[in-house]
Amino acid sequence: MSTAVPSAMTPGGDGLKAQAAHWLPGVTLSATVAIAAMALASHYGAPVMLFALLLGMALNFLSAEGRSAPGIDFTARQVLRLGVALLGLRITTTQVMALGWEPVAMVVLAVALTIGVGIVLAKLMGFQMFFGLLTGGAVAICGASAALALSAAMPAHPQKERATLFTVIGVSTLSTLAMILYPPITHALGLSPLDAGAFIGGTIHDVAQVVGAGYSLSHEAGDAATLVKLLRVAMLLPVIALAAWLARRHQRTQGGGEASGPRPPLLPWFAVAFAVLVLVNSTGWLPAVVVEGGQSASQFFLVASMAAIGMKTHLRDIVTVGWKPVALMVLETVFLAALFYGLLRING
C-alpha cells in the first residue's frame, strides 16, 4: 500500500499553496469589485452593499466557469462568514441588554409561526409537509444556509434535491429583493433606527442581505439587524432537531431504516465566533486599534462577499423553479414581514 499523501491533503505544504492559488483569482476579483463599490458609494453617497451587488451581477458570467469561479464561491461563503464573525467587534453586551427580552420572544414566535404557516400552505398546494418545513425554515431562519441544513436532516426522497434547489434559488432571490425594498419601506413606515434594524434582522432571509440592508440605513440599524438576525440563526438548533425527529418518525411510519449521512452543525461557527467576540469586546481589554482594524476588515469582507454573491446570482435559473414553490415562499416572506411589523407595533 502506498504511503504517499495527496498534496491537497498536506497541511502547510504544496497542497495548501495549490488551494490558495486555486482561490486567488476569484478572491482578487471579488476584492477589486469591493474596492470599486466602496469608491462609488463614497462618491455618490449611496449604499455600498447595493453597488457591490449590482457590480457583481454585471460580472455574473465569471462565476459559471473558468479560473475565477472557485474563489468567487469561497468569497461568497467563507469570507462572508468571517466578515459576520468580525461584526462582533462592533457590539457589546450593553447593547444586547438594551434590546431587552422582547426581541428574543419576537424571534421565537416569528420563526415558529412562519414554519407552521409554511407547512399548512405547502399541504394546501399539494406538497409534502417536509417541503413546507424546508421553505418555511429557510424563510424564517437564515435563507439558503438553513435550507441546506434542514435538507440534510430530512428523509431521503426522489424529489429532495430538486426541492432543495428550488428553495435555495427562491429564497436567495427573495432575500436580494428584500435587501433592496425593505430599507425604503422602513422609512415609509416611520420606524426608528432601532426598530428598522430589528425589522430587517427579523425578516430578511440571508445574513449578507441583512447586513447590507441594515448598515445601508445606519450603524445603529445595522447593529440591531445583526443581533436580531443572529437570534434567528440560533433557532437552527431546535428547528433542525425538529426536522430530524420528524424524519425519524416518518421513517418509522414508512417502515424504513435510520437515515444515513453526515449532519450539519447545530450552530454555524460564525455565529459562535460572533458571540465570543461580543463578549471579548465587552470586557474592554482589546486595544482600540485592534477593534477598529477588525471593524474595517469586517466591512471590507462583507462588501467583497456581497460582490461575490452578485456574481453567483443566475437569474435565468429562476425560470426552472415553477410558480407554486415561488408562490409558497413569497407568501411565507410576506407573512413573516407582516407578523414582525405587527409585533414591533404591539411592543411599541
Side-chain angles (χ1 to χ4, degrees), residues 295-336:
Q295 292 174 357
S296 298
S298 174
Q299 171 74 357
F300 185 76
F301 290 162
L302 291 171
V303 176
S305 66
M306 180 60 71
I309 289 169
M311 293 180 213
K312 285 170 59 68
T313 301
H314 301 277
L315 295 181
R316 67 180 181 272
D317 291 341
I318 304 303
V319 178
T320 67
V321 172
W323 73 269
K324 278 191 175 182
V326 171
L328 175 60
M329 283 183 280
V330 168
L331 289 172
E332 291 166 344
T333 298
V334 171
F335 173 81
L336 177 61

Side-chain angles (χ1 to χ4, degrees), residues 38-283:
M38 293 173 80
L40 287 170
S42 176
H43 181 74
Y44 291 103
V48 65
M49 295 295 183
L50 182 56
F51 271 120
L53 176 65
L54 294 176
L55 290 175
M57 291 179 69
L59 299 173
N60 170 266
F61 64 95
L62 293 173
S63 68
E65 57 185 17
R67 297 179 58 203
S68 299
I72 291 172
D73 186 67
F74 176 81
T75 305
R77 295 176 183 273
Q78 301 306 327
V79 175
L80 164 64
R81 286 157 174 75
L82 182 57
V84 173
L86 289 173
L87 278 176
L89 292 174
R90 290 196 54 85
I91 300 170
T92 65
T93 53
T94 301
Q95 292 171 308
V96 177
M97 293 173 65
L99 288 175
W101 61 268
E102 293 93 342
V104 177
M106 287 192 294
V107 164
V108 172
L109 184 62
V111 169
L113 290 179
T114 301
I115 291 175
V117 166
I119 291 173
V120 171
L121 289 176
K123 296 183 76 172
L124 289 175
M125 290 182 177
F127 297 119
Q128 287 191 356
M129 172 196 66
F130 285 104
F131 187 62
L133 177 59
L134 181 66
T135 58
V139 167
I141 303 174
C142 56
S145 298
L148 295 172
L150 287 169
S151 177
M154 291 179 177
H157 187 274
Q159 297 297 321
K160 179 178 173 180
E161 290 186 2
R162 191 162 182 256
T164 303
L165 174 63
F166 284 170
T167 304
V168 168
I169 293 174
V171 80
S172 297
T173 302
L174 287 170
S175 189
T176 300
L177 290 174
M179 183 194 74
I180 297 170
L181 296 175
Y182 283 9
I185 287 175
T186 62
H187 280 301
L189 293 173
L191 297 179
S192 68
L194 192 62
D195 282 347
F199 175 81
I200 284 170
T203 55
I204 296 180
H205 314 319
D206 288 317
V207 175
Q209 281 84 344
V210 166
V211 172
Y215 284 102
S216 72
L217 290 172
S218 67
H219 284 303
E220 182 183 3
D223 290 346
T226 303
L227 283 170
V228 174
K229 179 61 183 178
L230 289 183
L231 288 176
R232 289 169 67 196
V233 172
M235 291 296 291
L236 266 176
L237 191 155
V239 175
I240 289 177
L242 171 65
W245 177 78
L246 289 173
R248 287 192 295 269
R249 183 171 176 267
H250 176 78
Q251 287 160 0
R252 286 196 301 268
T253 303
Q254 299 299 318
E258 290 295 324
S260 59
R263 289 286 185 268
L266 291 178
L267 283 179
W269 68 265
F270 65 85
V272 177
F274 177 93
V276 170
L277 287 177
V278 168
L279 294 175
V280 173
N281 191 35
S282 300
T283 64

